[in-house]
Amino acid sequence: VNVMAGGTVQLAISAYYNHRTLEISPEDVSWSVDPQLGTIDASGLFTASGQAGSGTITAVRGNTRASIQVTVEANHPFSDLDGHWAKSQLERMAQYGVGWSGGACRPDSALTQIDLVALILSAGGYAWNSEDDADWLYRRAYDLGLLTRDQRREDKVLTRGEAVKMLLDAAGCAGVAKLPGIFTCAFTDKDSIPQDLMGYAALAQGMKLVTSETFDAAGTATRAQAAVMLYNLMARSERGV
């Protein structure tokens, strides 16, 4: 787990037996961490210290002990955003621990499924980078209903339409977006938007996730585009509108 200095990440314990998730009460788990790295409360909320470092967070339940490596990263901007159109949004999100870890953002790289899953979960306090266990990341995604096990395609390059759909599904908009025959939008390419994405396109425009003149449902999404859409969604939530 990677977290920016001063940032927070919510950790949780999951247990599995014969591919089934077992219920664990948070009160049954005790947490510990090196004080130089930060603090962790009874619910598993880790708050990083102001200094960079690495160590281990340990959870104990009865006779069972589990540990996870944690790295506190210096709170500095990404190394590859100078002059980029999304620099402001990406750096502001990073201040709150939202986005990708590792020092380089690769903003213009094609967005993969695992990129978007990691991005969405980071908004909920789940920090992950490419050196961490992908199974851990996807278990969080399954638990939250972002996708199912048979939909896992880590390296699949996502279209803009697919990115919008996953972001709005994560925001709890799936039920509304899938209502048939009630949506339209003002994108200049609305005639080319698939019907199963029309609700998502209309919501994305109305909620200002997508502010361009075209929706470009079939176009390849970039990491920066997905991050800015999430930024717009979070900014809307902060405004309460």
Side-chain angles (χ1 to χ4, degrees):
V1 174
N2 287 53
V3 59
M4 301 296 290
T8 61
V9 58
Q10 179 66 57
L11 301 177
I13 291 291
S14 297
Y16 299 88
Y17 180 75
N18 286 341
H19 304 290
R20 297 176 62 185
T21 302
L22 304 179
E23 293 292 333
I24 295 181
S25 173
E27 292 79 12
D28 295 337
V29 179
S30 60
W31 299 87
S32 61
V33 65
D34 183 341
Q36 292 184 347
L37 293 177
T39 60
I40 189 163
D41 66 15
S43 71
L45 179 67
F46 172 66
T47 301
S49 68
Q51 297 181 342
S54 61
T56 301
I57 294 175
T58 300
V60 178
R61 180 178 183 269
N63 296 323
T64 303
R65 176 184 298 265
S67 297
I68 186 171
Q69 187 73 19
V70 59
T71 299
V72 177
E73 298 181 347
N75 196 358
H76 57 75
F78 291 109
S79 62
D80 55 354
L81 291 181
D82 286 348
H84 196 275
W85 63 271
K87 175 182 171 70
S88 175
Q89 295 95 322
L90 286 160
E91 290 188 346
R92 185 174 180 189
M93 290 168 70
Q95 292 176 2
Y96 296 93
V98 180
W100 300 284
S101 301
C105 180
R106 297 186 288 114
D108 296 321
S109 293
L111 179 77
T112 63
Q113 184 189 81
I114 197 169
D115 286 337
L116 187 53
V117 170
L119 177 67
I120 291 172
L121 292 183
S122 74
Y126 296 99
W128 181 88
N129 67 32
S130 58
E131 296 179 359
D132 293 331
D133 181 10
D135 290 340
W136 176 88
L137 180 75
Y138 273 90
R139 282 198 295 269
R140 301 283 79 73
Y142 304 149
D143 291 345
L144 293 172
L146 290 182
L147 71 171
T148 62
R149 284 175 171 78
D150 61 355
Q151 292 174 325
R152 179 173 175 172
R153 302 288 187 276
E154 296 178 23
D155 296 327
K156 177 187 177 184
V157 174
L158 301 183
T159 65
R160 284 168 55 92
E162 289 171 329
V164 167
K165 181 180 184 301
M166 187 177 289
L167 284 163
L168 287 175
D169 284 352
C173 298
V176 174
K178 293 176 181 178
L179 292 174
I182 66 170
F183 287 106
T184 187
C185 63
F187 288 116
T188 58
D189 60 346
K190 65 180 181 179
D191 292 340
S192 66
I193 299 174
Q195 281 303 306
D196 62 340
L197 288 179
M198 182 57 73
Y200 288 97
L203 289 175
Q205 187 170 58
M207 298 169 69
K208 293 182 170 50
L209 266 70
V210 179
T211 57
S212 57
E213 293 185 357
T214 60
F215 186 64
D216 193 16
T220 298
T222 67
R223 285 163 60 97
Q225 289 170 353
V228 170
M229 285 191 281
L230 177 60
Y231 177 90
N232 291 341
L233 181 62
M234 294 175 70
R236 179 184 175 85
S237 297
E238 286 184 0
R239 294 193 302 268
V241 294

